[in-house]
Amino acid sequence: MYIFFKKCTSRPGAPAAGSFAVLHRMISSSEVATALRPFYFAVHPDLFGRYPQQRQVNEDSLKLLSAHLESLLKQRRILPSTPQTLPFYIRASNELQDRGTFNLIKVPLERTVDTKLVLRRILESCNLPTEFVDKMPSMQDGSRSKTRNAFDDFHQQQTAHHQQSFYYKKRSEYNFGKEQQEDDEDDSPFEKEFDIFQFKIKRTRENETLQKWLRKHLVTAAVRTKAVQELREEVEKLKEDVTKQLQLREIIYDCGWNVEHFRGCLKSLEKLAELHPGAMDGLKDRTLVFAAFTGVSLEGHVMLFTGDVQRNWLELIKTIDKHDSYLSKLPAYEYALSQVLRNIRIGRRKFMPKAQAMAYASHLRKITTALLDYLGRSKFPKSWPESLSQFELVVESEAGPLMVSPTGQLIVPATCPGSLVVDFFTNHLAEALEKQKSYDQQKYVERDLHARCLAQFRLLSLTKDDSVTPDRMIECLEKLLGKTGTSSGELELADLNLNITTYYSVLTDGTVCIPWDWKQ
């Protein structure tokens, strides 16, 4: 999940006046949140519920932007995995006739630790006001180190009082858009409009049943599926030609956009090969994936971001050897971390986007160093088993969570202190083992239900989003099969491409998306 920075207002327990004066000279997370309020509202994925392609692009970009801003605020550094630009969709206008029209904006991320400049460039790229940013105090790099400890203490005290983010404050349905009296001065038109929008989505979702929704949209899905069939055949032929021309092992499309965009990516790659034939040798016998970032994945696949210019693709292809050098070191890094943590298995998250090898190598080094520092001062708890080989650890980016995944994996962010990792393991090993056993059983049940649904409803395909875990998929498929032969009528899903996700939609290629928790 991407991160929205939380507000901080002064309350009892704040630092003394002298400390606060020092803090005031630096840009805080609350100031970043305030400065980017109009930007967040313009690009927030929940505003694109009926347009899943635009929603996915904005969601992926917000995750990267969140990690970038957090790194600037907390560590005063630029993450190596941060791209130079991030794509965002914004509405062309608020007029009713233009509601389905969007502009693709390339938001630049300045390669500087000057947070004020980064914020200004983000707002300027979307033609949003920068008055608040212009009033922010400038701060020299050297002053950051002197004030960082004071700011961290202050921020920790304030976080306890502010557990709700700007966009997700809970409000009564009968008092929608209103705050308590003491917060009236902070009311914003963005808050009110966004909350009303969320409320309308919730009400519509609660009143919509699957059968009712399908009746209204099946014709649209059938027409779009038939219309895109010729395009699919063209794209498949083009993919075969490019694969053969570049001597690739395989080309995979994994960015969530429609098949027409896939054709555009293939033609761009074909054109790049015509202009720079000698540079394409590095792709021989490789799997190429059109994805959400440009780099080399942990599986060794060459990833090309569909929103990048051809020059960035070319730079990667020319420097694949550099990325491969990091990839070759990963087994050694993972083995070292496993040895430090009593032979724990090092895994990859099962339901998350691909990661870049160069960034992942850095993450492994960081967490290993943190645990070695801990062992230099203390020992692992006696309650731990002698071997952790039955558990699986996943190391993620600086902005990643500290949690037990639904599949039983122990998820740890790369910058987590060793003491916190040890405490987390101590309190959650039993939970991880329980979830792991449950997942091992559920995945076989899911496969069986998947096959039965394909045959029963004569579907062309049945897929799911990464966010839909096995237990959710099982619940959804069991309900679908339970509708067969009921008095309320069977579901008409023949010759459809069905995708299980969290929303209702018919994509431009005719794919029907339904939420896993659809109503009877």
Side-chain angles (χ1 to χ4, degrees), residues 66-116:
S66 176
H68 179 65
L69 292 175
E70 186 176 31
S71 180
L72 289 183
L73 289 176
K74 292 186 177 181
Q75 301 178 5
R76 298 287 288 169
R77 73 183 188 88
I78 301 170
L79 298 175
S81 59
T82 301
Q84 294 182 346
T85 61
L86 290 175
F88 283 98
Y89 278 101
I90 61 174
R91 293 188 185 277
S93 74
N94 289 324
E95 299 297 329
L96 184 60
Q97 63 269 22
D98 296 328
R99 284 298 174 89
T101 305
F102 306 96
N103 293 329
L104 179 62
I105 305 297
K106 297 296 184 66
V107 175
L109 294 184
E110 296 291 335
R111 317 306 286 181
T112 174
V113 292
D114 185 349
T115 308
K116 183 176 178 179

Side-chain angles (χ1 to χ4, degrees), residues 453-479:
C453 279
L454 278 173
Q456 181 71 41
F457 297 107
R458 293 181 289 123
L459 293 166
L460 294 178
S461 67
L462 176 58
T463 56
K464 68 173 184 177
D465 283 356
D466 289 340
S467 60
V468 181
T469 51
D471 58 326
R472 292 177 173 180
M473 190 66 170
I474 289 171
E475 178 182 338
C476 175
L477 298 182
E478 285 180 339
K479 284 199 299 181

Side-chain angles (χ1 to χ4, degrees), residues 5 8 23 26-33 73 136 144 151:
F5 296 101
C8 289
L23 290 172
M26 63 190 297
I27 296 178
S28 66
S29 59
S30 62
E31 289 176 309
V32 171
L73 289 176
M136 286 182 176
R144 172 76 186 193
F151 174 76

